[in-house]
Amino acid sequence: MVKKKVKKKVQSESDPPFEQALSDLADVVGKLESGELSLDDALGEYERGIVLLKTCHAQLSRAERRIEVLSRIDEDGRAITEDYDDSQDDSLEAKQ
């Protein structure tokens, strides 16, 4: 029996869960908006915020790809679904 190798992106151990990353991102924004940070500290927080933003975006993209799309209703009224087409590269890196 031949096993098909499935390429699956798993959240790395270093990535925080989505909710934690989003909360941390909100904290970073709050610190930056306060205007109380030195320039060096503000730049450090900004860079941290970018990393958190990319983490959130990647996790949302993976979740979106797992959603089944309703394609149509058959004559008996049952929903016909298909897997979300993840062939499009919607990564932040691809948009830059």
Side-chain angles (χ1 to χ4, degrees), residues 9-58:
K9 236 182 180 180
V10 178
Q11 178 178 335
S12 77
E13 291 180 17
S14 63
D15 286 345
F18 176 79
E19 294 79 6
Q20 183 64 49
L22 189 60
S23 175
D24 291 350
L25 182 57
D27 291 343
V28 167
V29 170
K31 288 178 185 177
L32 291 172
E33 287 179 339
S34 76
E36 297 177 7
L37 298 175
S38 68
L39 179 60
D40 285 340
D41 290 342
L43 286 173
E45 286 297 309
Y46 178 80
E47 289 171 350
R48 181 170 172 254
I50 294 298
V51 169
L52 290 166
L53 177 63
K54 287 182 177 183
T55 297
C56 288
H57 186 269

Side-chain angles (χ1 to χ4, degrees), residues 79-95:
I80 309 250
T81 61
E82 55 189 48
D83 290 335
Y84 182 81
D85 179 14
D86 64 350
S87 62
Q88 298 175 339
D89 188 0
D90 291 335
S91 67
L92 286 176
E93 290 80 19
K95 292 181 179 180

Side-chain angles (χ1 to χ4, degrees), residues 66-86:
R66 293 178 57 195
I67 296 171
E68 288 186 330
V69 177
L70 175 64
S71 61
R72 63 185 181 281
I73 306 289
D74 68 12
E75 52 276 348
D76 294 328
R78 291 184 299 240
I80 309 250
T81 61
E82 55 189 48
D83 290 335
Y84 182 81
D85 179 14
D86 64 350

